[in-house]
Amino acid sequence: MRTQTFTYRGTLPGMNEILSAQATVYHAGKKRQSGYTGLKAQCTADVAWSAIAAGIRKVEHYPVRIGVVIYAKNRRSDPHNLAAGAEKMILDGLKEAKILRNDGWSELVGEDDTTGPAPRFVVDATNPRVEVVLEEP
């Protein structure tokens, strides 16, 4: 079993921020673009670079268990609102970095052998971050 860990410094958008960005439409000539497109592109790229900079290697054995610890600035946001956005950006960032081949049912297993990560939450006002652990079988 191989375990790899990396830290994303800062905060990732919660589901409410994602939905708000989706509702924001920018007009560039005749083309309409959702604010979500730019938000997702930036966040997934940041996660990908965080993983690459930490030396995370491509997952070789599936299904992989992904643990997530969200260190929030405060308790103003619903924990699962934070988790929904963070998990989406983390998994897509790992795919973008080619660390995960996909984020489907056959690639991921959660803490209780269901699909997907089971996040934990901690408050750290001075150092908000997301810690990610990948455990291969």
Side-chain angles (χ1 to χ4, degrees):
M1 176 163 73
R2 179 172 69 170
T3 300
Q4 304 183 82
T5 304
F6 75 96
T7 301
Y8 174 86
R9 300 282 173 201
T11 59
L12 288 165
M15 184 53 74
N16 291 342
E17 293 167 285
I18 290 172
L19 293 174
S20 178
Q22 181 65 28
T24 305
V25 178
Y26 299 97
H27 297 278
K30 294 183 180 180
K31 186 176 181 183
R32 296 174 57 159
Q33 183 175 355
S34 162
Y36 170 73
T37 304
L39 176 68
K40 181 179 181 291
Q42 184 63 55
C43 290
T44 55
D46 290 349
V47 168
W49 282 111
S50 293
I52 291 167
I56 302 299
R57 297 187 314 227
K58 182 178 179 179
V59 171
E60 297 173 358
H61 305 288
Y62 290 91
V64 64
R65 184 181 311 271
I66 299 180
V68 176
V69 182
I70 297 172
Y71 292 82
K73 288 182 185 181
N74 51 50
R75 292 183 179 201
R76 290 187 187 140
S77 294
D78 171 1
H80 285 66
N81 172 46
L82 295 174
E87 290 170 9
K88 171 73 175 153
M89 300 304 171
I90 290 165
L91 294 174
D92 288 352
L94 291 172
K95 283 180 13 185
E96 183 175 307
K98 306 220 182 301
I99 292 167
L100 287 180
R101 67 178 177 215
N102 198 1
D103 58 357
W105 292 57
S106 61
E107 286 83 17
L108 304 175
V109 63
E111 296 298 318
D112 57 357
D113 293 327
T114 59
T115 301
R120 292 187 317 131
F121 307 95
V122 179
V123 173
D124 187 340
T126 60
N127 186 19
R129 63 195 181 279
V130 181
E131 293 179 355
V132 181
V133 178
L134 291 85
E135 295 177 2
E136 294 180 50

